[in-house]
Amino acid sequence: MTTRKIMASAAAATMLLVSAPAFARDYHRHHHRDGNGAAVGAALGAGVFLGALAASSAANADPYYPPPPPPPAPAYYGPDRGYDETADEAVNACRQGLLDVARRHGAYDAEIDRVDYVRETPDGGHRIRAEITMIYPRDERTSEVVCHTADGMLVSARTE
């Protein structure tokens, strides 16, 4: 229902409400002597007016949608900056992390033969370049590796 139609309905209801007592009085004079005509006309006019008013308010009502909750904070998968690992802890974390992976393939020990460098990284960890030997029951394998450690744990490693 458009606003123009609603306003026209409200105007017609108002005119009916205003003129209903006059029609009721005229009807009362000619037909009845009990006085119920004015009350009936007023009730009909008020009903039409209130119906038009309810239709106009229902047409213009905006539904309330509560705002959505804020998005969750992004996950942080970096090292805890409260832990300061030393260079020796970083080298040990590199050796232990590589040994844990090599144990899946039968290694039982690992030795660090040579450490080329240990450098701090911006995330609070260390980057280590070393030569490591994995000891298997019948074999030994030596590799140049670069490890990235943080919080005393191996984060990543690659061979060179």
Side-chain angles (χ1 to χ4, degrees):
M1 193 173 219
T2 64
T3 307
R4 176 177 277 177
K5 288 181 182 179
I6 292 171
M7 294 306 288
S9 298
T14 305
M15 287 173 44
L16 181 63
L17 183 64
V18 169
S19 62
F23 288 130
R25 255 182 281 139
D26 187 44
Y27 181 79
H28 175 66
R29 285 186 193 142
H30 294 287
H31 298 287
H32 297 305
R33 300 287 177 206
D34 57 359
N36 289 334
V40 171
L44 286 175
V48 172
F49 177 74
L50 291 176
L53 185 64
S56 69
S57 66
N60 294 332
D62 292 333
Y64 173 72
Y65 297 107
Y76 177 70
Y77 297 108
D80 181 15
R81 295 184 188 266
Y83 179 79
D84 293 327
E85 68 180 3
T86 64
D88 291 336
E89 289 173 334
V91 171
N92 189 37
C94 176
R95 183 190 83 72
Q96 189 62 43
L98 290 172
L99 179 59
D100 289 345
V101 172
R103 280 188 175 149
R104 295 183 195 151
H105 302 286
Y108 64 88
D109 198 11
E111 294 178 3
I112 302 240
D113 299 327
R114 181 185 76 242
V115 177
D116 293 334
Y117 65 80
V118 178
R119 295 188 181 139
E120 289 188 24
T121 57
D123 63 1
H126 288 86
R127 185 179 266 342
I128 301 120
R129 181 178 174 151
E131 183 180 86
I132 189 165
T133 301
M134 295 292 171
I135 303 170
Y136 295 88
R138 296 185 186 153
D139 194 9
E140 290 183 359
R141 295 182 192 149
T142 302
S143 302
E144 290 278 331
V145 294
V146 175
C147 297
H148 179 212
T149 63
D151 295 336
M153 298 183 70
L154 179 67
V155 175
S156 67
R158 68 174 200 269
T159 59
E160 289 197 348

